[in-house]
Amino acid sequence: GLGIARWLTGQRKATKTAFRSLKFLDLTACNELTETPNLSVFPGLEKLVLDRCDNLLKVHDSIANPKRLAVLSMSSCGKLKELPDCMSSLASLKRLILANCSSLESLPDRIVQLIALEELDVSNCSSLNKLPDSVLRELTLKKLQIIGFPNLEPVGNPASGIYRLHESNHSTKDQYAMKHLDDRHLKYLYFSGTGIQKLPISISLQKNLHLLHLNNCQLLAEVPEWIADLCLLEELSLSNCPLITGMPHTIASLEYLRYLNLSRCNRIQALPDCIGDLGSLIELLLENVSLMELPESVVFLRKLEILHLGSCKKLERLPSSIGNLENLTQLLLHGTNIKEIPSSITSLQKLELLSVTGCKRLKHLPVGLSEDLLLL
């Protein structure tokens, strides 16, 4: 690895012919590299991996030469501070992975010219103090990961470009930005671990969004009613958002939602009755939530396979008709305050796991439980 990297950096003339057809170059953990090699000798390169190059300081301008480059991964390059503007000419680039580049201070303003870019990962780039405001406005991303930014400024601060688009007074520039978000291609949005207090309203215009992760957003205070505008949403995860107190009734409109995670949102004391309208829901995770009971409507979740209520210490009862959850395979009740389990549970023919460890007030289990059931 190190010898190859040193040799490439030497830019031998012979390489121009020898590597003309090379498509994949992996220089992972080449710790002697301080600058990327001259890539002009690799005109056919399609994938370049420079992960964990601990001493990489500079990306050579020749990065723009391989016109077929589709994947560029430079994750965990801890000393890399900037990227060259010439990267904007990579017309075939689909994936740009920069996760854990802790010294990276900015992205090129011309990143918007990466017309083929579908995935951008800047997770845990702790020195990155802003994103170009064109990232959501003009890029046709399908997957955006912005995980681990606890110090990102809240909505309205000019320093955080991605939020600058969503100020409440809606300047002309903001209106232009939101107008052009109307037909975005974003499918996967990872906002976990950020310091946002409020979700940018422009997310509501991401009509193709399938997945929204907001785990560990310690300052996020509510789920907005416009969540219903994400009409194709399949996965919503809000684990460990301690300021959230409930879910809006409009969530019932998410007819394709298959996965809902509210675990460790310990200020949530009740779910809306309309939760039963989520007819596609397969997993409902409510671990360590302050629920005293579930709404009766939960029994209408006929596709539900996993119901996680573990460590809900205030939970005292289950709906009497819980046996209607005909596809339920896992019911996790450990550490709850449940006094009894409804006898209708014996109707759950597909139930494989029932967890009741630490349910100190539970005196007995219903008669007639399947012998094949795993009890924990």
mmCIF file of all heavy atoms in Angstrom, residues 180-210:
data_model
loop_
_atom_site.group_PDB
_atom_site.id
_atom_site.type_symbol
_atom_site.label_atom_id
_atom_site.label_comp_id
_atom_site.label_asym_id
_atom_site.label_seq_id
_atom_site.Cartn_x
_atom_site.Cartn_y
_atom_site.Cartn_z
ATOM 1 N N HIS A 180 -37.586 25.864 -5.869
ATOM 2 C CA HIS A 180 -36.798 24.902 -6.617
ATOM 3 C C HIS A 180 -36.565 23.603 -5.867
ATOM 4 O O HIS A 180 -35.908 22.709 -6.370
ATOM 5 C CB HIS A 180 -35.479 25.543 -7.047
ATOM 6 C CG HIS A 180 -35.651 26.488 -8.192
ATOM 7 N ND1 HIS A 180 -36.181 27.749 -8.028
ATOM 8 C CD2 HIS A 180 -35.404 26.353 -9.519
ATOM 9 C CE1 HIS A 180 -36.223 28.364 -9.198
ATOM 10 N NE2 HIS A 180 -35.753 27.539 -10.122
ATOM 11 N N LEU A 181 -37.096 23.504 -4.672
ATOM 12 C CA LEU A 181 -37.050 22.232 -3.946
ATOM 13 C C LEU A 181 -38.253 21.361 -4.277
ATOM 14 O O LEU A 181 -38.338 20.230 -3.871
ATOM 15 C CB LEU A 181 -37.029 22.488 -2.438
ATOM 16 C CG LEU A 181 -35.667 22.779 -1.834
ATOM 17 C CD1 LEU A 181 -35.845 23.312 -0.423
ATOM 18 C CD2 LEU A 181 -34.797 21.561 -1.827
ATOM 19 N N ASP A 182 -39.171 21.906 -5.030
ATOM 20 C CA ASP A 182 -40.471 21.272 -5.211
ATOM 21 C C ASP A 182 -40.390 19.901 -5.877
ATOM 22 O O ASP A 182 -41.184 19.022 -5.615
ATOM 23 C CB ASP A 182 -41.377 22.197 -6.028
ATOM 24 C CG ASP A 182 -42.816 21.760 -5.978
ATOM 25 O OD1 ASP A 182 -43.258 21.313 -4.922
ATOM 26 O OD2 ASP A 182 -43.498 21.861 -7.017
ATOM 27 N N ASP A 183 -39.407 19.712 -6.749
ATOM 28 C CA ASP A 183 -39.356 18.441 -7.467
ATOM 29 C C ASP A 183 -38.061 17.696 -7.185
ATOM 30 O O ASP A 183 -37.498 17.045 -8.038
ATOM 31 C CB ASP A 183 -39.486 18.692 -8.977
ATOM 32 C CG ASP A 183 -38.377 19.596 -9.502
ATOM 33 O OD1 ASP A 183 -37.680 20.216 -8.667
ATOM 34 O OD2 ASP A 183 -38.229 19.681 -10.720
ATOM 35 N N ARG A 184 -37.588 17.778 -5.952
ATOM 36 C CA ARG A 184 -36.323 17.146 -5.608
ATOM 37 C C ARG A 184 -36.411 15.621 -5.649
ATOM 38 O O ARG A 184 -37.470 15.043 -5.576
ATOM 39 C CB ARG A 184 -35.868 17.594 -4.218
ATOM 40 C CG ARG A 184 -35.520 19.059 -4.143
ATOM 41 C CD ARG A 184 -34.361 19.461 -5.046
ATOM 42 N NE ARG A 184 -34.798 19.780 -6.383
ATOM 43 C CZ ARG A 184 -34.000 19.864 -7.429
ATOM 44 N NH1 ARG A 184 -32.726 19.652 -7.295
ATOM 45 N NH2 ARG A 184 -34.474 20.157 -8.614
ATOM 46 N N HIS A 185 -35.224 15.013 -5.735
ATOM 47 C CA HIS A 185 -35.129 13.559 -5.854
ATOM 48 C C HIS A 185 -34.673 12.902 -4.556
ATOM 49 O O HIS A 185 -34.466 11.690 -4.522
ATOM 50 C CB HIS A 185 -34.147 13.208 -6.974
ATOM 51 C CG HIS A 185 -34.515 13.775 -8.298
ATOM 52 N ND1 HIS A 185 -35.419 13.163 -9.143
ATOM 53 C CD2 HIS A 185 -34.132 14.918 -8.922
ATOM 54 C CE1 HIS A 185 -35.560 13.895 -10.247
ATOM 55 N NE2 HIS A 185 -34.793 14.960 -10.130
ATOM 56 N N LEU A 186 -34.495 13.677 -3.496
ATOM 57 C CA LEU A 186 -33.960 13.144 -2.241
ATOM 58 C C LEU A 186 -34.855 12.030 -1.702
ATOM 59 O O LEU A 186 -36.053 12.193 -1.547
ATOM 60 C CB LEU A 186 -33.857 14.271 -1.213
ATOM 61 C CG LEU A 186 -32.990 14.025 0.003
ATOM 62 C CD1 LEU A 186 -31.529 13.861 -0.405
ATOM 63 C CD2 LEU A 186 -33.125 15.166 0.989
ATOM 64 N N LYS A 187 -34.220 10.882 -1.411
ATOM 65 C CA LYS A 187 -34.958 9.743 -0.866
ATOM 66 C C LYS A 187 -34.564 9.430 0.576
ATOM 67 O O LYS A 187 -35.389 8.937 1.340
ATOM 68 C CB LYS A 187 -34.730 8.504 -1.741
ATOM 69 C CG LYS A 187 -35.423 8.557 -3.093
ATOM 70 C CD LYS A 187 -35.275 7.214 -3.820
ATOM 71 C CE LYS A 187 -36.041 7.225 -5.135
ATOM 72 N NZ LYS A 187 -35.915 5.906 -5.835
ATOM 73 N N TYR A 188 -33.310 9.692 0.932
ATOM 74 C CA TYR A 188 -32.812 9.319 2.250
ATOM 75 C C TYR A 188 -32.139 10.534 2.884
ATOM 76 O O TYR A 188 -31.176 11.065 2.337
ATOM 77 C CB TYR A 188 -31.806 8.170 2.137
ATOM 78 C CG TYR A 188 -32.308 7.010 1.307
ATOM 79 C CD1 TYR A 188 -31.886 6.843 -0.009
ATOM 80 C CD2 TYR A 188 -33.222 6.102 1.829
ATOM 81 C CE1 TYR A 188 -32.357 5.792 -0.783
ATOM 82 C CE2 TYR A 188 -33.697 5.051 1.065
ATOM 83 C CZ TYR A 188 -33.265 4.898 -0.249
ATOM 84 O OH TYR A 188 -33.740 3.863 -0.994
ATOM 85 N N LEU A 189 -32.647 10.963 4.038
ATOM 86 C CA LEU A 189 -32.113 12.132 4.721
ATOM 87 C C LEU A 189 -31.765 11.760 6.156
ATOM 88 O O LEU A 189 -32.626 11.377 6.940
ATOM 89 C CB LEU A 189 -33.131 13.277 4.703
ATOM 90 C CG LEU A 189 -32.716 14.585 5.370
ATOM 91 C CD1 LEU A 189 -31.402 15.104 4.818
ATOM 92 C CD2 LEU A 189 -33.815 15.629 5.202
ATOM 93 N N TYR A 190 -30.477 11.854 6.475
ATOM 94 C CA TYR A 190 -29.976 11.527 7.812
ATOM 95 C C TYR A 190 -29.552 12.822 8.489
ATOM 96 O O TYR A 190 -28.542 13.417 8.123
ATOM 97 C CB TYR A 190 -28.787 10.571 7.710
ATOM 98 C CG TYR A 190 -29.116 9.226 7.098
ATOM 99 C CD1 TYR A 190 -29.159 9.058 5.715
ATOM 100 C CD2 TYR A 190 -29.373 8.126 7.904
ATOM 101 C CE1 TYR A 190 -29.454 7.824 5.155
ATOM 102 C CE2 TYR A 190 -29.665 6.887 7.353
ATOM 103 C CZ TYR A 190 -29.701 6.742 5.975
ATOM 104 O OH TYR A 190 -29.999 5.510 5.427
ATOM 105 N N PHE A 191 -30.327 13.254 9.485
ATOM 106 C CA PHE A 191 -30.066 14.486 10.212
ATOM 107 C C PHE A 191 -29.694 14.196 11.660
ATOM 108 O O PHE A 191 -29.694 15.086 12.494
ATOM 109 C CB PHE A 191 -31.346 15.339 10.200
ATOM 110 C CG PHE A 191 -31.233 16.612 9.404
ATOM 111 C CD1 PHE A 191 -30.235 16.805 8.481
ATOM 112 C CD2 PHE A 191 -32.140 17.634 9.614
ATOM 113 C CE1 PHE A 191 -30.147 17.967 7.751
ATOM 114 C CE2 PHE A 191 -32.064 18.809 8.891
ATOM 115 C CZ PHE A 191 -31.058 18.974 7.954
ATOM 116 N N SER A 192 -29.390 12.945 11.968
ATOM 117 C CA SER A 192 -29.180 12.525 13.356
ATOM 118 C C SER A 192 -27.996 13.246 13.986
ATOM 119 O O SER A 192 -26.990 13.521 13.339
ATOM 120 C CB SER A 192 -28.941 11.018 13.421
ATOM 121 O OG SER A 192 -30.081 10.317 12.969
ATOM 122 N N GLY A 193 -28.142 13.550 15.285
ATOM 123 C CA GLY A 193 -27.059 14.133 16.046
ATOM 124 C C GLY A 193 -26.791 15.593 15.745
ATOM 125 O O GLY A 193 -25.766 16.126 16.157
ATOM 126 N N THR A 194 -27.682 16.262 15.040
ATOM 127 C CA THR A 194 -27.486 17.677 14.736
ATOM 128 C C THR A 194 -28.111 18.539 15.828
ATOM 129 O O THR A 194 -28.896 18.067 16.649
ATOM 130 C CB THR A 194 -28.119 18.049 13.384
ATOM 131 O OG1 THR A 194 -29.525 17.772 13.420
ATOM 132 C CG2 THR A 194 -27.506 17.256 12.249
ATOM 133 N N GLY A 195 -27.772 19.832 15.819
ATOM 134 C CA GLY A 195 -28.263 20.753 16.841
ATOM 135 C C GLY A 195 -29.509 21.505 16.429
ATOM 136 O O GLY A 195 -29.793 22.565 16.990
ATOM 137 N N ILE A 196 -30.266 20.964 15.483
ATOM 138 C CA ILE A 196 -31.459 21.681 15.020
ATOM 139 C C ILE A 196 -32.518 21.743 16.115
ATOM 140 O O ILE A 196 -32.702 20.810 16.888
ATOM 141 C CB ILE A 196 -32.055 21.046 13.741
ATOM 142 C CG1 ILE A 196 -32.401 19.575 13.968
ATOM 143 C CG2 ILE A 196 -31.122 21.208 12.570
ATOM 144 C CD1 ILE A 196 -33.171 18.962 12.831
ATOM 145 N N GLN A 197 -33.215 22.877 16.167
ATOM 146 C CA GLN A 197 -34.327 23.062 17.093
ATOM 147 C C GLN A 197 -35.663 22.885 16.384
ATOM 148 O O GLN A 197 -36.677 22.598 17.018
ATOM 149 C CB GLN A 197 -34.262 24.460 17.705
ATOM 150 C CG GLN A 197 -33.007 24.718 18.505
ATOM 151 C CD GLN A 197 -32.932 26.134 19.016
ATOM 152 O OE1 GLN A 197 -33.890 26.893 18.921
ATOM 153 N NE2 GLN A 197 -31.797 26.512 19.564
ATOM 154 N N LYS A 198 -35.628 23.033 15.065
ATOM 155 C CA LYS A 198 -36.856 22.997 14.272
ATOM 156 C C LYS A 198 -36.515 22.449 12.898
ATOM 157 O O LYS A 198 -35.471 22.794 12.328
ATOM 158 C CB LYS A 198 -37.428 24.411 14.165
ATOM 159 C CG LYS A 198 -38.741 24.533 13.443
ATOM 160 C CD LYS A 198 -39.187 25.989 13.462
ATOM 161 C CE LYS A 198 -40.517 26.174 12.742
ATOM 162 N NZ LYS A 198 -40.928 27.598 12.743
ATOM 163 N N LEU A 199 -37.361 21.611 12.364
ATOM 164 C CA LEU A 199 -37.099 21.059 11.045
ATOM 165 C C LEU A 199 -37.334 22.121 9.976
ATOM 166 O O LEU A 199 -38.374 22.794 9.976
ATOM 167 C CB LEU A 199 -38.011 19.863 10.769
ATOM 168 C CG LEU A 199 -37.663 18.550 11.456
ATOM 169 C CD1 LEU A 199 -38.659 17.478 11.050
ATOM 170 C CD2 LEU A 199 -36.255 18.121 11.103
ATOM 171 N N PRO A 200 -36.383 22.294 9.051
ATOM 172 C CA PRO A 200 -36.582 23.244 7.952
ATOM 173 C C PRO A 200 -37.816 22.888 7.137
ATOM 174 O O PRO A 200 -37.994 21.735 6.748
ATOM 175 C CB PRO A 200 -35.312 23.087 7.116
ATOM 176 C CG PRO A 200 -34.309 22.501 8.049
ATOM 177 C CD PRO A 200 -35.083 21.631 8.982
ATOM 178 N N ILE A 201 -38.656 23.858 6.877
ATOM 179 C CA ILE A 201 -39.915 23.576 6.185
ATOM 180 C C ILE A 201 -39.693 23.086 4.761
ATOM 181 O O ILE A 201 -40.538 22.398 4.185
ATOM 182 C CB ILE A 201 -40.842 24.818 6.196
ATOM 183 C CG1 ILE A 201 -42.257 24.414 5.784
ATOM 184 C CG2 ILE A 201 -40.259 25.924 5.324
ATOM 185 C CD1 ILE A 201 -43.271 25.527 5.959
ATOM 186 N N SER A 202 -38.537 23.395 4.197
ATOM 187 C CA SER A 202 -38.278 22.949 2.829
ATOM 188 C C SER A 202 -38.215 21.428 2.736
ATOM 189 O O SER A 202 -38.410 20.870 1.656
ATOM 190 C CB SER A 202 -36.983 23.552 2.305
ATOM 191 O OG SER A 202 -35.897 23.102 3.065
ATOM 192 N N ILE A 203 -37.979 20.748 3.844
ATOM 193 C CA ILE A 203 -38.001 19.287 3.809
ATOM 194 C C ILE A 203 -39.380 18.790 3.396
ATOM 195 O O ILE A 203 -39.516 17.743 2.755
ATOM 196 C CB ILE A 203 -37.604 18.704 5.185
ATOM 197 C CG1 ILE A 203 -36.125 19.006 5.475
ATOM 198 C CG2 ILE A 203 -37.828 17.195 5.238
ATOM 199 C CD1 ILE A 203 -35.658 18.537 6.826
ATOM 200 N N SER A 204 -40.406 19.553 3.713
ATOM 201 C CA SER A 204 -41.773 19.145 3.363
ATOM 202 C C SER A 204 -41.979 19.080 1.855
ATOM 203 O O SER A 204 -42.940 18.466 1.377
ATOM 204 C CB SER A 204 -42.787 20.114 3.973
ATOM 205 O OG SER A 204 -42.716 21.379 3.344
ATOM 206 N N LEU A 205 -41.088 19.700 1.113
ATOM 207 C CA LEU A 205 -41.201 19.700 -0.341
ATOM 208 C C LEU A 205 -40.461 18.531 -0.984
ATOM 209 O O LEU A 205 -40.484 18.380 -2.204
ATOM 210 C CB LEU A 205 -40.664 21.023 -0.901
ATOM 211 C CG LEU A 205 -41.362 22.281 -0.389
ATOM 212 C CD1 LEU A 205 -40.683 23.524 -0.914
ATOM 213 C CD2 LEU A 205 -42.831 22.275 -0.748
ATOM 214 N N GLN A 206 -39.829 17.718 -0.145
ATOM 215 C CA GLN A 206 -39.119 16.547 -0.672
ATOM 216 C C GLN A 206 -40.119 15.402 -0.855
ATOM 217 O O GLN A 206 -40.188 14.465 -0.068
ATOM 218 C CB GLN A 206 -37.988 16.150 0.277
ATOM 219 C CG GLN A 206 -36.974 17.242 0.535
ATOM 220 C CD GLN A 206 -36.192 17.606 -0.711
ATOM 221 O OE1 GLN A 206 -35.987 16.777 -1.586
ATOM 222 N NE2 GLN A 206 -35.750 18.847 -0.797
ATOM 223 N N LYS A 207 -40.870 15.477 -1.915
ATOM 224 C CA LYS A 207 -42.007 14.563 -2.109
ATOM 225 C C LYS A 207 -41.594 13.112 -2.326
ATOM 226 O O LYS A 207 -42.426 12.207 -2.194
ATOM 227 C CB LYS A 207 -42.852 15.041 -3.290
ATOM 228 C CG LYS A 207 -43.383 16.465 -3.150
ATOM 229 C CD LYS A 207 -44.232 16.638 -1.912
ATOM 230 C CE LYS A 207 -44.804 18.043 -1.827
ATOM 231 N NZ LYS A 207 -45.571 18.262 -0.581
ATOM 232 N N ASN A 208 -40.328 12.881 -2.656
ATOM 233 C CA ASN A 208 -39.868 11.511 -2.880
ATOM 234 C C ASN A 208 -39.151 10.920 -1.672
ATOM 235 O O ASN A 208 -38.597 9.827 -1.762
ATOM 236 C CB ASN A 208 -38.935 11.465 -4.095
ATOM 237 C CG ASN A 208 -39.680 11.699 -5.394
ATOM 238 O OD1 ASN A 208 -40.654 11.020 -5.686
ATOM 239 N ND2 ASN A 208 -39.228 12.677 -6.160
ATOM 240 N N LEU A 209 -39.161 11.641 -0.550
ATOM 241 C CA LEU A 209 -38.423 11.184 0.617
ATOM 242 C C LEU A 209 -39.013 9.881 1.167
ATOM 243 O O LEU A 209 -40.207 9.798 1.443
ATOM 244 C CB LEU A 209 -38.430 12.259 1.709
ATOM 245 C CG LEU A 209 -37.351 12.123 2.781
ATOM 246 C CD1 LEU A 209 -35.968 12.315 2.177
ATOM 247 C CD2 LEU A 209 -37.574 13.135 3.900
ATOM 248 N N HIS A 210 -38.139 8.873 1.322
ATOM 249 C CA HIS A 210 -38.557 7.574 1.856
ATOM 250 C C HIS A 210 -38.107 7.374 3.300
ATOM 251 O O HIS A 210 -38.739 6.629 4.050
ATOM 252 C CB HIS A 210 -37.981 6.434 1.003
ATOM 253 C CG HIS A 210 -38.674 6.243 -0.303
ATOM 254 N ND1 HIS A 210 -38.815 7.234 -1.245
ATOM 255 C CD2 HIS A 210 -39.280 5.152 -0.846
ATOM 256 C CE1 HIS A 210 -39.464 6.771 -2.299
ATOM 257 N NE2 HIS A 210 -39.759 5.510 -2.079
#
